[in-house]
Amino acid sequence: MKYTIVLLAFLMFSYSSFSQNEVSDLKPGDVLIISKDSNTPFQYLYFPKPNFIIKRGSIANYKGLNGMRVQIEAISDESVARLIPLNGKKFFNIFSYVNADLKSALNNKELKQLNSGQKS
């Protein structure tokens, strides 16, 4: 009995220390980083389909978005956020914002939260 209580307490504390930041911690104005290594479309960042990007005169290069810093402009009640780039440019030189499912994108590592020490 003693061992099961110790095991349950250990599991509770380890879960809380390794859990992902919740969407409730994020607010408009927070900075995130897009992380994508391959050139496949994003699953939880809602960019237009590649044929619409090409039709508007740009190249659908998703790998070029890797490392881009974005700012949360607004968050709806369903954890869908509007993201704008911080470098002053547009996504694919066309789109000024993109919508994203924050919870799923953070869990699948399409977005990373910027640490407070990296805000320079």
Side-chain angles (χ1 to χ4, degrees), residues 60-101:
N61 183 11
Y62 295 103
K63 197 172 182 179
L65 298 174
N66 189 26
M68 179 183 276
R69 294 179 184 206
V70 293
Q71 183 177 11
I72 299 175
E73 187 177 43
I75 299 177
S76 71
D77 54 348
E78 299 169 353
S79 79
V80 174
R82 177 181 281 192
L83 304 175
I84 56 173
L86 280 181
N87 59 4
K89 296 180 181 179
K90 295 180 178 182
F91 296 104
F92 305 111
N93 294 328
I94 300 170
F95 306 103
S96 59
Y97 68 91
V98 66
N99 291 327
D101 183 359

Side-chain angles (χ1 to χ4, degrees), residues 23-69:
V23 176
S24 62
D25 295 343
L26 297 174
K27 59 189 177 302
D30 285 351
V31 178
L32 303 169
I33 297 175
I34 297 175
S35 67
K36 187 72 168 180
D37 294 332
S38 63
N39 200 27
T40 57
F42 290 93
Q43 191 171 3
Y44 299 106
L45 282 130
Y46 303 127
F47 288 106
K49 293 182 181 179
N51 62 333
F52 290 115
I53 297 170
I54 294 168
K55 197 179 278 188
R56 302 244 342 237
S58 187
I59 298 172
N61 183 11
Y62 295 103
K63 197 172 182 179
L65 298 174
N66 189 26
M68 179 183 276
R69 294 179 184 206

Side-chain angles (χ1 to χ4, degrees), residues 31 113-120:
V31 178
Q113 223 173 353
L114 187 66
N115 294 338
S116 60
Q118 295 179 349
K119 285 192 176 181
S120 57

